[in-house]
Amino acid sequence: MDAAQQEATARARELQRNWYGEPLGALFRKLIDDLGLNQARLAGVLGLSAPMLSQLMSGQRAKIGNPAVVQRVQLLQELAAQVADGSVSAAEATERMDEIKRSQGGSVLSNNTQTTSSSGAPTVKRVVREIQSLLRSVAAAGDIIDAADTLAPTHPELAEFLRVYGAGRTSDAVTHYQSHQN
């Protein structure tokens, strides 16, 4: 790989970090490990071709263009967390992955059983991720920050919201949300 390709790959990974919270290679490898998948199976569940998944993982391509695929990634992340904490068995996980694969995406702000806590309310992390997904599906993190800077003098609360939820990390947005609930 020449210097220009290395620079392009580094830039793509940085964009992925801004848009998705981490480079997609790391995110997808975690899903593969946590859910016991291979790349071909993960690509199938997400609704991507294997070459497209490979390009996203290697940084040859920066963005997932289909919001439904982004939503499936989020659902798989939640499923992996449930498998890790023991609340979902391996057999249930396989069944859920088949459901995720069949999902059409629909509204980014859907509220189905996979997006809710045991009380029936959406989890804070899920709501934050849905907001991030919605914002990031229409603009890159840098564009969101530029919009926040423009709005800051007249609408400081909206500017803060855009910075935290549109361009920030999920964990920081969850902390921000929780601190404002008191």
Side-chain angles (χ1 to χ4, degrees), residues 17-128:
R17 183 176 282 106
N18 289 335
W19 293 331
Y20 307 110
E22 65 185 309
L24 290 174
L27 189 152
F28 290 150
R29 276 188 284 285
K30 282 187 222 170
L31 290 175
I32 288 167
D33 292 342
D34 293 348
L35 295 171
L37 304 172
N38 59 36
Q39 279 187 318
R41 172 81 167 123
L42 178 61
V45 171
L46 292 175
L48 294 172
S49 68
M52 175 65 78
L53 179 70
S54 178
Q55 290 172 0
L56 289 165
M57 289 181 75
S58 67
Q60 291 175 311
R61 186 176 293 264
K63 189 172 187 178
I64 300 171
N66 185 337
V69 173
V70 174
Q71 190 174 29
R72 288 185 200 111
V73 170
Q74 293 170 333
L75 293 171
L76 285 176
Q77 287 178 302
E78 288 180 8
L79 180 59
Q82 292 169 341
V83 169
D85 72 17
S87 63
V88 172
S89 70
E92 284 178 292
T94 300
E95 189 176 305
R96 287 261 196 89
M97 282 187 274
D98 290 338
E99 291 172 11
I100 291 168
K101 179 180 179 176
R102 289 189 302 269
S103 74
Q104 297 300 306
S107 169
V108 175
L109 298 176
S110 66
N111 185 18
N112 62 38
T113 57
Q114 294 176 344
T115 66
T116 58
S117 67
S118 59
S119 68
T123 63
V124 171
K125 189 172 185 179
R126 178 65 182 166
V127 170
V128 165

